[in-house]
Amino acid sequence: MAAKTFEKGNVAIAKAAVAAGCKYYFGYPITPQSDIPEYLSGVLPGVGGQFVQAESEIAAINMLLGAGSTGKRAMTSSSSPGISLKQEGISYMAGSEIPGLIVNIQRSGPGLGGISPSQGDYFQATRGGGHGDYRILVLAPATVQEMYDLTILAFELSDKYRMPAMVLADAMLGMMKEPLEEWIPKQAEEDKSSWALSGAKGRERRKIKSLFLGDGELAEHNWKMLEHYREVEAKETRVKIEVHDDCELAVVAFGSAARIAKSAVDRLNDEGRNIGMVRPITVWPFPYKEIRELAEKDIPFLTVELNVGQMVEDVRLSVEGRSKVSFAGYPPGYLPSPDEIYEEITKLLDKKD
Amino acid sequence: MKTVFERPQSLVDTSFHFCPGCHHGTIHRLVAEAIDEYKVRETTIAAASVGCSVFLYDYFDIDVVESPHGRAPAVATGIKRANPDKFVFVYQGDGDLAAIGTAEIIHAANRGENITVIFVNNTVYGMTGGQMAPTTMLGQRTTTSPYGRDFAQDGYPIRMTEMLAQLEGVGYAARVAVDSPAHLGKARKAIMKAFATQIENRGMGFVEVLCTCPTNWGMGPIEANKRIAAEMIPYFPLGVYKERTGSDFM
Amino acid sequence: MPRLTIHEDRCKACGLCVEFCPKDCLALSDKFNPQGYHPVELVNPDECTGCAICAKMCPDVVFKVEK
């Protein structure tokens, strides 16, 4: 087993990108993710890569689009207001089927909001975020180790499915330090030579685009994308479920909210209760099927989020009225303690009893 | 018998969708001639822009990626940084480059991105239906300046070449026109230079081409062609504004 | 004598070639091409010097010039 180091979540993402063979970074400074460009600006030139500090997040995402169109593994990172600016480019990348990694170390909004952790960008991340009918892969780490592991996975899935991937973390996960075990992926990078732009030498010219004006062309393109999304949903949904028989209630939470909720759940179980925990690791594709299966066993849910109610809508869509879904939300600028979530769960159990 | 003029090889053998007399076709042909001249067809990756020029990929026998409106210089930056051995050019109109994409062109220029930029200035938004552009002349009537562009309300037409020539990252900057055989000769030469600038790693090569949009100007092709010399050139003077020949590129 | 090949189907009858031909060799014809335009034709072949100004001015790359 490799030695562990003590790393910040942001640095874990940056290190994972290098381990995954990403040589090109394009970004713009914004708190609380600037450790990522700061780290990569030091490392990438030494591995034959390029670090470009763009004039804006808009330019950065379009640089990613350009590099991605040539099949090169590349990334950008930002935080909430900056991710809003990137939505135009993300929509174009999705429409043009260009892979690339976007990291969102969420801060709080709306507007300039603040720099405290938040999960307020859940809708933006999981509903596409920009214009048009599209989805992107969204992975939600809950530990520094997962910041590393899911960054590598995000690159792999993005390449495999030719769609942009996002690592959706927040200021808490980005700024805190935890033990990290680094590893180098064994899987060879996806062969992109069948579609990537490289100059029309010895083959027909290629065009990578999202404009389809011909009769029925765009509808056909959208149907094709949908079919692709269905495949991703079937094959790539990831969720950590800790639910035992006769579970009294299951908490659904992702990312840093899941960490806090897990402490409360563990305490209740230590006290003899039977509380389950469901932690979506991919929030798109969302584990609708897995949560529905639990709902069919009449397990009620409590969704805990660092916002005023976003993922809870997906939980309700999973459950479709089969069982009760409650919500505990914490708007930005305030982080709940495990005790508060303990109280929330206890209240629900009391009502039920 | 010797061929004096023929269709450049890099230009796909098909009809342009452009309106009669529109100079996009002429400029496409000049760019294709430069691709042929420098033998870069097989190593070229272009970033198409938004507007009438988006169909670049239907006309050039090269690899092309489509960019969002105004972002082609950023897209080209990504392509070139990840593929320094490729020849990368963008082809943008005035609405694209001089309005929504101002930040992208200025900073790509300032970083000295080793790309070639063809900037098509016809003083109007073409594909969207003839709205006022940043380059629209004072007094020019468009669908969004129905009383004529008024400086008190809309400011003055923007001169991009002069602005970009100030930046250290630009290796070559010129403004040309395609309204006469003499001007065409100079335009061809300027585009060749802008290609050479990239090939010789001397930073951004930038060529602004003054041209017509007969449809949106409400003019016939001949009348529109005459407007270039009569109205545009006096405000947008032709010439080479920057030409770095030595190794002063830092 | 120079040879001018005109790709009539591509012509949009903008007239720039007619306007700039120094020898007045070209004119728009009365017939229609498949695009619905009156394509250019060489009406004065004896005067053509093969200077290729028509080809250079043409936005639709309609001409091929040999001499």
Side-chain angles (χ1 to χ4, degrees):
Chain A
M1 193 174 145
K4 287 189 177 182
T5 52
F6 199 53
E7 294 292 358
K8 253 181 165 178
N10 284 338
V11 174
I13 286 178
K15 286 188 160 188
V18 177
C22 167
K23 287 190 178 158
Y24 309 101
Y25 175 94
F26 311 99
Y28 184 87
I30 181 171
T31 304
Q33 61 82 50
S34 294
D35 306 294
I36 300 173
E38 283 167 6
Y39 179 88
L40 291 172
S41 63
V43 171
L44 289 179
V47 296
Q50 286 278 331
F51 171 89
V52 182
Q53 184 165 320
E55 62 273 26
S56 69
E57 282 93 347
I58 298 173
I61 190 73
N62 284 291
M63 291 174 190
L64 178 63
L65 184 155
S69 73
T70 67
K72 300 292 167 76
R73 206 165 252 190
M75 70 177 289
T76 185
S77 65
S78 191
S79 179
S80 307
I83 297 293
S84 294
L85 284 171
K86 291 188 194 291
Q87 294 304 329
E88 175 196 56
I90 296 173
S91 168
Y92 277 74
M93 287 176 72
S96 311
E97 299 172 283
I98 296 173
L101 176 68
I102 301 121
V103 174
N104 182 1
I105 304 299
Q106 292 171 96
R107 54 188 263 178
S108 33
L112 205 46
I115 55 168
S116 58
S118 166
Q119 296 183 325
D121 302 349
Y122 179 90
F123 280 152
Q124 186 194 53
T126 59
R127 268 60 185 165
H131 63 284
D133 234 347
Y134 74 93
R135 300 293 168 130
I136 61 170
L137 292 149
V138 188
L139 290 86
T143 64
V144 168
Q145 185 64 51
E146 277 192 353
M147 296 285 255
Y148 190 94
D149 300 349
L150 296 185
T151 295
I152 291 172
L153 180 64
F155 275 118
E156 288 171 352
L157 295 180
S158 178
D159 283 351
K160 184 174 177 189
Y161 294 103
R162 273 185 73 180
M163 57 191 283
M166 178 178 282
V167 169
L168 183 69
D170 61 34
M172 184 169 122
L173 290 160
M175 304 300 282
M176 72 181 195
K177 282 189 166 188
E178 274 185 335
L180 170 70
E181 185 186 335
E182 294 173 46
W183 52 280
I184 306 287
K186 289 192 192 80
Q187 191 181 319
E189 204 174 311
E190 194 87 9
D191 179 14
K192 297 165 206 158
S193 61
S194 64
W195 62 265
L197 303 186
S198 57
K201 187 179 182 179
R203 59 161 171 78
E204 290 283 294
R205 70 184 191 276
R206 289 178 181 158
K207 39 190 171 184
I208 292 185
K209 65 191 189 102
S210 58
L211 179 72
F212 297 96
L213 293 178
D215 199 18
E217 260 181 23
L218 186 57
E220 194 184 318
H221 178 64
N222 274 257
W223 282 121
K224 192 186 91 181
M225 283 170 61
L226 181 74
E227 203 175 302
H228 211 60
Y229 297 157
R230 293 285 172 263
E231 184 191 348
V232 176
E233 284 171 334
K235 293 183 181 164
E236 306 296 348
T237 304
R238 286 165 170 80
V239 55
K240 186 168 184 190
I241 298 176
E242 296 166 277
V243 175
H244 303 290
D245 290 345
D246 304 320
C247 173
E248 297 172 79
L249 177 139
V251 173
V252 189
F254 74 98
S256 43
R259 294 174 70 104
I260 305 168
K262 184 70 167 58
S263 301
V265 169
D266 286 349
R267 187 176 145 199
L268 280 151
N269 288 338
D270 286 346
E271 290 169 6
R273 305 300 302 229
N274 186 354
I275 309 299
M277 182 81 206
V278 177
R279 177 167 73 86
I281 292 170
T282 53
V283 285
W284 196 89
F286 188 79
Y288 291 109
K289 185 169 81 62
E290 291 78 359
I291 293 176
R292 189 177 63 238
E293 282 165 10
L294 295 174
E296 280 162 357
K297 296 176 188 166
D298 283 335
I299 299 171
F301 296 93
L302 170 66
T303 306
V304 178
E305 293 178 74
L306 303 182
N307 58 45
V308 290
Q310 299 195 18
M311 186 182 70
V312 65
E313 294 191 4
D314 278 331
V315 177
R316 290 190 174 122
L317 284 172
S318 314
V319 168
E320 285 184 326
R322 289 177 180 87
S323 71
K324 192 167 165 51
V325 177
S326 306
F327 175 68
Y330 304 91
Y334 178 80
L335 266 185
S337 67
D339 287 352
E340 286 169 79
I341 296 172
Y342 175 93
E343 292 301 328
E344 286 290 333
I345 300 172
T346 310
K347 263 193 281 177
L348 288 171
L349 293 173
D350 287 348
K351 262 196 234 165
K352 200 180 160 201
D353 294 343
Chain B
M1 209 171 224
K2 189 170 150 258
T3 300
V4 184
F5 183 99
E6 66 181 338
R7 188 178 193 87
Q9 285 188 341
S10 304
L11 207 56
V12 176
D13 194 11
T14 186
S15 293
F16 293 123
H17 72 287
F18 305 121
C19 304
C22 165
H23 281 151
H24 265 305
T26 312
I27 303 164
H28 274 45
R29 193 249 303 159
L30 292 174
V31 173
E33 285 175 357
I35 293 172
D36 287 357
E37 176 74 21
Y38 286 100
K39 299 183 171 56
V40 290
R41 193 194 71 80
E42 294 183 337
T43 54
T44 293
I45 303 175
S49 57
V50 169
C52 294
S53 56
V54 68
F55 298 109
L56 199 76
Y57 40 67
D58 288 335
Y59 304 132
F60 286 91
D61 190 16
I62 56 170
D63 278 5
V64 181
V65 61
E66 205 172 74
S67 315
H69 202 20
R71 319 295 177 220
V75 172
T77 297
I79 298 169
K80 188 72 178 183
R81 292 295 186 114
N83 304 272
D85 56 326
K86 303 298 179 198
F87 184 84
V88 180
F89 78 88
V90 302
Y91 182 112
Q92 301 176 266
D94 43 10
D96 194 87
L97 181 140
I100 196 167
T102 335
E104 284 76 12
I105 188 62
I106 287 178
H107 288 278
N110 196 47
R111 286 190 304 267
E113 295 297 343
N114 221 10
I115 59 172
T116 300
V117 179
I118 308 299
F119 169 44
V120 176
N121 178 359
N122 58 13
T123 76
V124 79
Y125 281 80
M127 196 181 244
T128 44
Q131 294 82 7
M132 181 177 63
T135 45
T136 294
M137 307 296 294
L138 287 183
Q140 184 179 340
R141 291 172 194 267
T142 70
T143 56
T144 52
S145 57
Y147 309 109
R149 182 176 185 157
D150 171 16
F151 72 87
Q153 165 149 324
D154 309 311
Y156 288 86
I158 194 167
R159 295 186 182 103
M160 290 305 294
T161 303
E162 286 84 337
M163 199 196 297
L164 291 170
Q166 305 298 313
L167 302 174
E168 290 301 333
V170 175
Y172 181 82
R175 184 183 289 117
V176 297
V178 287
D179 61 327
S180 70
H183 285 161
L184 267 167
K186 286 181 180 165
R188 186 172 192 275
K189 200 170 155 196
I191 291 171
M192 294 288 176
K193 288 254 187 192
F195 269 57
T197 303
Q198 176 178 170
I199 290 163
E200 292 159 16
N201 288 304
R202 283 188 273 118
M204 180 182 283
F206 182 91
V207 181
E208 174 176 350
V209 187
L210 302 183
C211 67
T212 60
C213 181
T215 300
N216 287 307
W217 292 359
M219 293 178 178
I222 308 291
E223 189 191 3
N225 196 63
K226 285 179 178 157
R227 179 181 180 246
I228 292 180
E231 294 179 32
M232 289 173 73
I233 294 174
Y235 187 85
F236 295 112
L238 304 183
V240 177
Y241 286 80
K242 173 97 164 263
E243 185 169 6
R244 182 182 285 121
T245 49
S247 57
D248 58 340
F249 182 47
M250 288 176 284
Chain C
M1 191 175 135
R3 184 161 70 201
L4 198 62
T5 313
I6 301 176
H7 198 326
E8 287 186 5
D9 291 0
R10 297 266 167 88
C11 179
K12 293 176 188 152
C14 72
L16 286 171
C17 55
V18 178
E19 174 81 6
F20 281 90
C21 175
K23 301 283 183 186
D24 293 330
C25 300
L26 300 165
L28 298 182
S29 67
D30 291 332
K31 64 184 177 189
F32 287 101
N33 70 9
Q35 298 192 76
Y37 297 111
H38 295 294
V40 66
E41 62 183 356
L42 183 60
V43 290
N44 205 354
D46 297 343
E47 289 291 313
C48 179
T49 63
C51 72
I53 282 175
C54 54
K56 289 173 187 166
M57 289 307 296
C58 173
D60 289 287
V61 204
V62 160
F63 300 94
K64 181 179 178 182
V65 187
E66 294 157 293
K67 70 174 175 183

